[in-house]
Amino acid sequence: MGEWMTVTDPDLSSESKNICQYTSETKMSPSSLYSQQVLCSSIPLSKNVHSFFSAFCTEENIEQSISYLDQELTTFGFPSLYEESKGKDTKRELNIVAVLNCMNELLVLQRKNLLAQENVETQNLKLGSDMDHLQNCYAKLKEQLETSRREMIGLQERDRQLQCKNRNLHQLLKNEKDEVQKLQNIIASRATQYNHDMKRKEREYNKLKERLHQLVMNKKDKKIAMEVLNYVGRADGKRGSWRTGKTEARNEDEMYKILLNDYEYRQKQILMENAELKKVLQQMKKEMISLLSPQKQKPRERADDSTGTVLSDAEEDAGELSRESLWDLSCETVREQLTNSIRKQWRILKSHVEKLDNQVSKVHLEGFNDEDVISRQDHEQETEKLELEIQQCKEMIKTQQQLLQQQLATACDDDTTSLLRDCYLLEEKERLKEEWSLFKEQKKNFEKERRSFTDAAIRLGLERKAFEEERASWLKQQFLNMTTFDHQNSENMKLFSAFSGSSDRDSLTVHSRPRQKKPHGVSNGSPVCTSKLTKSLPASPSTSDFCQTRSCASEHSSINVLNITPEETKPNPVGREGTNQKWSMASRPGSQEGCYSGCSSTYRNSHVEKDDLP
Amino acid sequence: MNFSEVFKLSSLLCKFSPDGKYLASCVQYRLVIRDVNTLQILQLYTCLDQIQHIEWSADSLFILCAMYKRGLVQVWSLEQPEWHCRIDEGSAGLVASCWSPDGRHILNTTEFHLRITVWSLCTKSVSYIKYPKACQQGIAFTRDGRYMALAERRDCKDHVSVFVCSDWQLLRHFDTETQDLAGIEWAPNGCVLAVWDTCLEYKVLLYSLDGRLLSAYCAYEWSLGVKSVAWSPSSQFLAVGSYDGKVRILNHVTWKMITEFGHPATVNNPKTVVYKEAEKNPQLALGRLAFPAPRAAASPASTPESKYEIASAPVSLQTLKPIADRANPKIGVGALAFSPDNYFLATRSDSVPNAVWIWDIQKLRLFVVLEQLSPVRSFQWDPQQPRLAICTGGSKVYLWSPAGCLSVQVPGEGDFQVLSLCWHFSGDSLALLSKDHFCLCFLETEERVGTAFGRPGDHT
């Protein structure tokens, strides 16, 4: 605007100065430009302008100034400040509306210009910084260019040097080659010369030898002689034979015989090797066929056109070749058939394996969530189960073996027999009888005890009910309280429930297993015994649970035991049991010992409780 | 392990009889026959001059003593001590003498290889074979003793003649495609004859017994060629050691090379076991030395005891820089021997003189390397089992078997420098020869373990 003003009115220096000042002001704080502008434009500027215009326009020259302004404005395309004169003579009157409009327009214009100026200035700033940046870049690039140019020059120099060197080396190589050629020629010539010389020398030497030979041999040298006390016989005892044509022929024959033998031997070896290899091939083929036959249908259906004939061929071949008679044939057709069929089978196998590989990779890509893939957990569980089963079976086998051995021992005693053994048996029998009577006594005692036990059991049953209730409430509380050990608790609960629900079954299993397990469980109710029991009975979950629960919640054990064993617990004296094993095995099919061994530790608990029961 | 006392010996002439009962040794002009077990002298023969060569006949009944300087061969009988035979080659001179396989003929090579005289002990007959070639290994008998191959040189060409040993009849005569034949060797089965050319050219030719050329093998040209050749006992392989430091194994079916064994100075394969002989710290040995006899203790004072250490994977062996401008440079594979069971091949590369390479023939790879402290003089396989005896000219004998290695000090006054050794055919004992003494080393440890225990040199 300022410029525009100066252009329009160059002699109004004060105004231009003011504007310059104004612009400098704006430059000083570009951020507050708008507000300032507003300020400037609204109040102070108007005042200023007023004061300025007062200088421009005074009381005296209002008319002139108005007309001047009118002129100026009209030249700039504004409407005239004067009203349209009706008559020519009438003095034109100032149109206030037009003046105001003009002023407004001017103000708007000024605002616009200010905005534009601002934009231009920011752009200018931006461009200035861009310029700086570009200049920097330019400088950098120039530097780079310089360095790369230098580098290039260096490389060129090096290249030149290398080329020079290369040329030199080529030259040298050429020279060397020439040298080698020359030397080779020399060697060759020397070699020929040497050979020639050698031959000459050798001829001379031969001549000399001949001469010497004549000299030494022809002269009847008395010295050349052999003194022997007496001639010895030949090593083979035969007499020497004259050399005749016959012997010559015989020698030839023998030589050929030896050679033939050697060849035959080698042929045999090779044949053997061949047979072996053929066998291997045959077997391989068979295996391949058996391996491929299940999925043979598929590929044939799929690609009947391409491989169908091949397959059928292969099968035919297989049929033919499997005939034993053809095995030993080493004729070419059979060999070819065999190798061809093997090759075909191999190709099929290879493609099949590749297919499988692809499938596997696909499965890998798809992840383990596939339906047909067994989840790992399941798998592990299954294996665990199987392992347990195996363990159980092993234990079973062991006990059976032991039993068998025992039986055999007793049986064999009769069979193989000897008086000695009989004596032993008699002795043993007597001892056993004694023990038997003792046992009977004990049995009676036990019966008594059992009765009291049953009483106690009934009482305990009642107690148990109460306890069950209590426990249920406790469990509930626990369940509510403990969220972190939730799983464990629930498991425990499950176990408990299983146990209490199927106590009959438990007692049965406890009953039967240890019986097979035989004596070691009997020794005493030590933890060793129980651990063994747990080992031996892993397959039946309820019993294992039984042990677990007992170990983890020992306070319940008394109830449990009493629940299980109202009629079986006839505690034999512990020390006695060890000696009586055999007898009890044979005589008592019910076998309390096993039960005893199984429950011995728990029995202790019950025993302790029993004291205050009756 | 146990050692006999030390006996006198001259010019390393000590040989077990082929039947294993006797041991012949020479002291100057005396020939001493001992019983192998008791080492008592059974016979003592006196020759006319210093003996230079002895050889048992195949049936162990006779022994010949050659005195080359005099051109004389004397033959002694073990059964009849009074029996004697003297062969005089007269002015023709004598350079070599050997038995024919039947033990009734003696083949004498005259000086300048003018001829070979075949003397018979059964009849008065004398046969001559003209034109024998003067070479490294010119006469070869088949293992069964039926045939003899002889290298000949006629009209500047090499020939091979095959004779029937029973009546010395010429069976085949053929010329060989060699420049300058260097040696011939029958395969143990007696059906193939290997012929190799002089070291100036690599050429191995294989001839059938009937004179047909089966195959010719040439590994490379324009360089020094074959240095040593050995057949495997099964006749399956022919190992050819050459001046390029490699052993090439040819097979008996196609006569092509199946593998080549290089002898690099560094062993990189970690699968190969490298046994390094190391001097034992004398302070460590003191505790042991205090106990055994002082006689035994005296010898290690001069030569420290040694033991084998297993070196880890990349092992560099001591190499010898060959002198290029001398004849017979110390390079190439100079010694080769198959173990009697065909499983192993022992080699020595002359440029790595301290090492013995043992190759596994089944797997065709390097199995073991033994590096000694001094250059290996000779090695020989136990005839009965894969066990290798090595001597280095020191006072120790070294034994290797697949189970491990052993360094044994030879007890005795002074220094017993083992220059050569030879096995008894049973593999129970080993004759150790020094410059002027020899002793026997007994290896059957079961019976003698009590006496052998605590010997100073006995450690693995």
Side-chain angles (χ1 to χ4, degrees):
Chain A
M1 189 183 83
E3 270 185 358
W4 177 68
M5 285 295 264
T6 48
V7 166
T8 51
D9 194 9
D11 39 352
L12 292 178
S13 58
S14 57
E15 196 191 346
S16 71
K17 206 169 113 193
N18 177 41
I19 282 154
C20 279
Q21 188 190 343
Y22 175 68
T23 48
S24 68
E25 253 180 346
T26 52
K27 257 189 188 165
M28 269 163 70
S29 57
S31 60
S32 59
L33 195 85
Y34 178 72
S35 58
Q36 209 173 17
Q37 181 199 5
V38 168
L39 275 174
C40 287
S41 57
S42 55
I43 315 147
L45 187 76
S46 63
K47 273 181 183 171
N48 279 349
V49 165
H50 198 73
S51 63
F52 275 124
F53 276 104
S54 64
F56 160 69
C57 170
T58 52
E59 291 292 326
E60 297 94 56
N61 62 352
I62 287 174
E63 284 299 311
Q64 282 121 342
S65 50
I66 286 172
S67 68
Y68 173 75
L69 277 177
D70 181 55
Q71 255 177 23
E72 285 292 304
L73 285 170
T74 44
T75 53
F76 281 106
F78 287 98
S80 172
L81 293 178
Y82 296 104
E83 275 178 44
E84 291 288 315
S85 57
K86 304 278 177 349
K88 264 219 167 172
D89 299 336
T90 52
K91 196 189 156 201
R92 288 190 302 179
E93 264 180 46
L94 191 72
N95 190 348
I96 306 289
V97 179
V99 168
L100 286 177
N101 278 339
C102 270
M103 267 171 72
N104 187 41
E105 214 139 296
L106 279 171
L107 282 173
V108 167
L109 248 177
Q110 193 211 9
R111 209 170 292 159
K112 255 190 208 160
N113 284 336
L114 274 173
L115 261 173
Q117 190 202 10
E118 191 192 340
N119 284 343
V120 165
E121 268 166 9
T122 51
Q123 208 158 356
N124 192 24
L125 269 176
K126 236 188 252 169
L127 285 173
S129 66
D130 274 3
M131 184 81 171
D132 278 351
H133 176 70
L134 284 174
Q135 262 169 352
N136 277 341
C137 278
Y138 174 72
K140 238 184 249 170
L141 284 173
K142 215 173 178 182
E143 233 167 78
Q144 259 180 22
L145 184 73
E146 198 59 37
T147 51
S148 51
R149 199 172 280 161
R150 238 175 281 140
E151 226 168 274
M152 203 175 72
I153 288 166
L155 285 174
Q156 268 174 348
E157 178 59 25
R158 242 181 86 193
D159 186 48
R160 200 186 55 79
Q161 278 174 1
L162 283 176
Q163 265 177 353
C164 220
K165 220 178 189 179
N166 194 17
R167 228 172 291 137
N168 285 345
L169 284 175
H170 266 297
Q171 194 57 43
L172 275 174
L173 184 70
K174 218 181 200 176
N175 289 349
E176 288 296 316
K177 263 184 186 168
D178 286 350
E179 191 83 359
V180 165
Q181 193 64 42
K182 229 195 285 174
L183 284 174
Q184 262 178 351
N185 284 342
I186 289 171
I187 285 175
S189 66
R190 287 258 171 94
T192 49
Q193 204 186 335
Y194 167 79
N195 281 342
H196 191 75
D197 279 3
M198 273 298 283
K199 251 177 205 167
R200 204 160 46 85
K201 286 264 165 65
E202 205 174 329
R203 285 219 181 90
E204 264 172 47
Y205 174 65
N206 279 347
K207 258 185 216 160
L208 281 172
K209 252 166 107 173
E210 204 65 31
R211 184 85 190 281
L212 186 69
H213 196 256
Q214 277 175 0
L215 279 175
V216 173
M217 310 301 164
N218 283 5
K219 197 172 60 177
K220 286 289 171 195
D221 193 353
K222 285 276 157 47
K223 272 179 87 182
I224 300 179
M226 181 170 77
E227 295 171 24
V228 188
L229 190 73
N230 57 310
Y231 289 105
V232 292
R234 289 168 70 94
D236 51 6
K238 284 184 206 157
R239 294 178 64 192
S241 50
W242 293 103
R243 273 192 220 169
T244 56
K246 228 171 150 187
T247 55
E248 213 165 285
R250 208 191 57 217
N251 282 335
E252 287 269 311
D253 280 358
E254 237 166 71
M255 181 192 77
Y256 282 121
K257 226 183 262 169
I258 285 172
L259 278 178
L260 264 179
N261 278 342
D262 181 52
Y263 281 121
E264 266 170 23
Y265 171 72
R266 270 161 71 171
Q267 200 207 357
K268 242 179 234 168
Q269 275 194 327
I270 286 167
L271 268 181
M272 260 160 63
E273 208 175 305
N274 261 343
E276 202 94 326
L277 288 173
K278 238 182 256 172
K279 232 188 253 172
V280 169
L281 266 185
Q282 203 77 35
Q283 202 187 338
M284 205 165 93
K285 211 182 84 165
K286 265 188 199 162
E287 270 167 24
M288 268 193 200
I289 288 171
S290 65
L291 198 76
L292 288 170
S293 55
Q295 339 93 10
K296 216 173 213 178
Q297 312 304 332
K298 274 192 218 161
R300 191 191 283 189
E301 280 163 23
R302 212 183 293 156
D304 216 358
D305 314 320
S306 58
T307 59
T309 50
V310 172
L311 276 170
S312 61
D313 270 1
E315 273 182 358
E316 263 174 41
D317 288 353
E320 269 178 43
L321 281 169
S322 54
R323 271 180 247 146
E324 297 271 322
S325 59
L326 279 172
W327 273 39
D328 296 331
L329 280 182
S330 59
C331 66
E332 252 164 58
T333 50
V334 175
R335 201 175 58 209
E336 239 166 65
Q337 274 178 6
L338 188 66
T339 49
N340 278 345
S341 64
I342 285 271
R343 236 171 250 159
K344 280 166 202 160
Q345 299 277 343
W346 175 245
R347 235 170 278 148
I348 295 162
L349 186 70
K350 205 176 144 191
S351 66
H352 179 64
V353 167
E354 272 165 9
K355 213 171 66 200
L356 281 180
D357 266 355
N358 282 342
Q359 276 180 4
V360 165
S361 59
K362 241 185 242 169
V363 165
H364 269 288
L365 282 174
E366 282 166 17
F368 293 102
N369 298 333
D370 261 6
E371 283 174 10
D372 49 354
V373 179
I374 303 162
S375 80
R376 206 173 139 184
Q377 250 186 341
D378 282 352
H379 186 78
E380 273 174 7
Q381 275 178 359
E382 199 68 22
T383 47
E384 233 166 85
K385 224 192 254 176
L386 285 172
E387 266 171 23
L388 282 177
E389 223 163 288
I390 286 168
Q391 189 100 23
Q392 193 192 358
C393 287
K394 269 188 191 163
E395 287 293 331
M396 199 108 117
I397 287 165
K398 214 190 250 172
T399 47
Q400 273 174 350
Q401 260 180 345
Q402 275 173 341
L403 278 174
L404 265 175
Q405 269 175 358
Q406 274 190 350
Q407 256 182 353
L408 272 177
T410 50
C412 278
D413 275 359
D414 298 334
D415 283 344
T416 55
T417 199
S418 58
L419 284 170
L420 252 173
R421 285 195 185 170
D422 266 343
C423 300
Y424 274 120
L425 273 181
L426 275 173
E427 239 178 280
E428 215 161 40
K429 243 183 212 170
E430 267 179 18
R431 212 181 61 219
L432 288 176
K433 252 180 202 168
E434 270 179 48
E435 278 169 357
W436 171 246
S437 57
L438 235 158
F439 249 95
K440 267 191 178 168
E441 259 181 35
Q442 281 176 350
K443 196 180 168 187
K444 270 178 204 162
N445 287 340
F446 286 144
E447 213 107 62
K448 270 187 209 163
E449 274 182 355
R450 198 182 67 170
R451 242 168 274 145
S452 59
F453 258 106
T454 44
D455 288 354
I458 291 158
R459 251 177 251 184
L460 267 174
L462 290 172
E463 271 185 9
R464 197 184 68 145
K465 253 182 208 166
F467 179 78
E468 287 267 313
E469 280 170 17
E470 204 178 283
R471 193 188 54 152
S473 64
W474 178 77
L475 272 175
K476 211 186 274 172
Q477 205 181 347
Q478 194 86 338
F479 195 77
L480 289 170
N481 287 348
M482 299 177 91
T483 46
T484 46
F485 300 108
D486 216 6
H487 175 66
Q488 207 181 338
N489 267 340
S490 68
E491 209 173 62
N492 271 352
M493 197 160 73
K494 200 171 75 195
L495 298 180
F496 271 82
S497 64
F499 180 71
S500 54
S502 62
S503 59
D504 278 19
R505 193 159 53 98
D506 290 0
S507 67
L508 271 173
T509 44
V510 167
H511 221 228
S512 55
R513 301 283 164 180
R515 178 151 53 108
Q516 291 164 345
K517 226 207 148 229
K518 233 209 75 185
H520 20 254
V522 184
S523 56
N524 45 33
S526 64
V528 179
C529 157
T530 55
S531 71
K532 268 196 179 148
L533 186 72
T534 52
K535 263 187 202 162
S536 65
L537 305 168
S540 61
S542 52
T543 47
S544 61
D545 286 353
F546 159 55
C547 297
Q548 277 172 10
T549 47
R550 199 152 43 86
S551 58
C552 68
S554 58
E555 72 255 57
H556 308 304
S557 60
S558 59
I559 304 160
N560 296 340
V561 169
L562 282 173
N563 198 23
I564 303 158
T565 58
E567 63 278 320
E568 300 103 29
T569 43
K570 279 187 223 160
N572 297 331
V574 172
R576 190 59 66 77
E577 200 63 32
T579 55
N580 293 355
Q581 293 157 7
K582 214 165 164 187
W583 171 79
S584 60
M585 284 302 301
S587 62
R588 256 194 254 178
S591 82
Q592 283 83 356
E593 63 188 288
C595 153
Y596 182 75
S597 69
C599 311
S600 50
S601 66
T602 55
Y603 180 72
R604 283 266 170 95
N605 290 339
S606 70
H607 201 68
V608 171
E609 287 207 7
K610 191 194 74 180
D611 289 339
D612 36 17
L613 273 176
Chain B
M1 192 167 292
N2 211 351
F3 289 89
S4 75
E5 61 178 297
V6 173
F7 303 104
K8 275 201 169 173
L9 183 76
S10 61
S11 42
L12 298 178
L13 291 173
C14 175
K15 272 177 185 161
F16 288 106
S17 66
D19 62 3
K21 284 184 192 160
Y22 311 107
L23 178 69
S25 60
C26 292
V27 186
Q28 305 296 331
Y29 50 88
R30 275 192 298 275
L31 174 69
V32 185
I33 310 291
R34 287 170 207 273
D35 186 286
V36 162
N37 295 317
T38 61
L39 293 175
Q40 277 177 336
I41 296 176
L42 298 177
Q43 296 293 343
L44 206 148
Y45 303 106
T46 310
C47 292
L48 291 168
D49 200 353
Q50 173 141 12
I51 301 163
Q52 283 176 287
H53 175 72
I54 58 169
E55 189 175 334
W56 286 92
S57 68
D59 52 8
S60 303
L61 292 177
F62 301 98
I63 184 161
L64 73 77
C65 305
M67 289 138 275
Y68 295 139
K69 269 189 267 174
R70 288 264 215 128
L72 262 181
V73 171
Q74 280 191 294
V75 187
W76 306 101
S77 164
L78 234 63
E79 282 179 334
Q80 301 163 275
E82 71 280 2
W83 185 90
H84 63 85
C85 169
R86 198 180 82 172
I87 301 167
D88 195 338
E89 285 291 342
S91 47
L94 182 67
V95 291
S97 180
C98 68
W99 283 102
S100 81
D102 64 356
R104 295 295 180 272
H105 294 83
I106 291 166
L107 284 80
N108 283 346
T109 310
T110 60
E111 232 169 329
F112 304 112
H113 287 78
L114 281 178
R115 65 181 184 191
I116 288 176
T117 324
V118 184
W119 301 90
S120 170
L121 297 186
C122 312
T123 59
K124 269 186 180 172
S125 69
V126 181
S127 324
Y128 298 104
I129 303 169
K130 255 182 118 179
Y131 312 115
K133 176 157 182 158
C135 63
Q136 176 190 3
Q137 201 172 337
I139 300 178
F141 294 99
T142 55
R143 188 110 357 144
D144 59 3
R146 255 184 231 259
Y147 302 106
M148 178 183 87
L150 179 72
E152 297 178 357
R153 184 84 177 173
R154 296 181 190 187
D155 304 327
C156 306
K157 284 209 81 177
D158 290 317
H159 297 262
V160 167
S161 295
V162 179
F163 292 93
V164 181
C165 289
S166 56
D167 51 7
W168 302 106
Q169 195 165 33
L170 183 68
L171 185 70
R172 280 289 183 274
H173 178 80
F174 50 89
D175 57 341
T176 60
E177 294 164 24
T178 47
Q179 283 286 319
D180 181 15
L181 187 150
I184 53 174
E185 179 75 51
W186 285 106
N189 66 6
C191 291
V192 184
L193 181 73
V195 174
W196 62 95
D197 212 337
T198 179
C199 65
L200 294 176
E201 207 165 335
Y202 196 113
K203 199 171 211 177
V204 177
L205 301 163
L206 292 145
Y207 288 95
S208 165
L209 177 60
D210 53 358
R212 283 177 302 123
L213 176 66
L214 294 173
S215 176
Y217 178 72
C218 171
Y220 52 84
E221 286 174 34
W222 306 117
S223 187
L224 289 179
V226 179
K227 192 165 193 183
S228 50
V229 171
W231 282 97
S232 80
S234 62
S235 309
Q236 246 183 321
F237 304 112
L238 178 68
V240 184
S242 52
Y243 278 93
D244 64 344
K246 280 179 181 161
V247 173
R248 291 176 176 80
I249 308 272
L250 310 185
N251 73 77
H252 75 309
V253 181
T254 61
W255 299 112
K256 298 253 166 61
M257 186 185 79
I258 40 175
T259 189
E260 62 178 29
F261 297 144
H263 292 72
T266 49
V267 180
N268 290 318
N269 191 345
K271 276 186 181 170
T272 305
V273 185
V274 180
Y275 292 101
K276 255 191 156 132
E277 191 193 0
E279 272 184 18
K280 218 178 182 189
N281 197 348
Q283 274 150 0
L284 277 173
L286 267 177
R288 293 191 71 183
L289 283 175
F291 176 63
R295 190 188 72 139
S299 59
S302 54
T303 53
E305 292 180 44
S306 74
K307 61 177 179 181
Y308 278 110
E309 281 169 357
I310 293 177
S312 54
V315 184
S316 52
L317 307 166
Q318 274 188 4
T319 51
L320 206 79
K321 195 116 199 229
I323 305 155
D325 54 352
R326 296 265 178 84
N328 300 318
K330 289 214 167 194
I331 50 168
V333 179
L336 284 175
F338 277 97
S339 70
D341 58 359
N342 292 309
Y343 285 165
F344 300 105
L345 171 70
T347 62
R348 189 196 65 209
S349 173
D350 292 345
S351 56
V352 192
N354 292 12
V356 175
W357 274 265
I358 296 165
W359 308 83
D360 189 333
I361 293 299
Q362 277 179 308
K363 292 173 185 159
L364 292 174
R365 65 175 184 84
L366 184 57
F367 188 51
V368 166
V369 177
L370 304 170
E371 197 188 18
Q372 311 297 135
L373 286 172
S374 40
V376 175
R377 290 290 286 243
S378 77
F379 54 78
Q380 200 178 7
W381 287 99
D382 181 337
Q384 298 299 326
Q385 48 176 310
R387 182 159 63 169
L388 188 73
I390 303 164
C391 64
T392 62
S395 61
K396 288 174 218 77
V397 63
Y398 308 95
L399 289 169
W400 174 86
S401 74
C405 325
L406 197 70
S407 150
V408 186
Q409 176 83 36
V410 179
E413 293 138 39
D415 215 7
F416 189 98
Q417 291 183 327
V418 186
L419 297 177
S420 176
L421 41 78
C422 64
W423 282 94
H424 186 258
F425 86 102
S426 68
D428 290 341
S429 54
L430 183 66
L432 309 174
L433 320 180
S434 81
K435 200 174 152 240
D436 34 35
H437 289 97
F438 81 94
C439 72
L440 286 192
C441 169
F442 301 97
L443 293 154
E444 356 92 283
T445 43
E446 294 89 49
E447 297 117 290
R448 296 170 194 251
V449 77
T451 53
F453 185 75
R455 287 264 170 188
D458 188 357
H459 38 77
T460 44

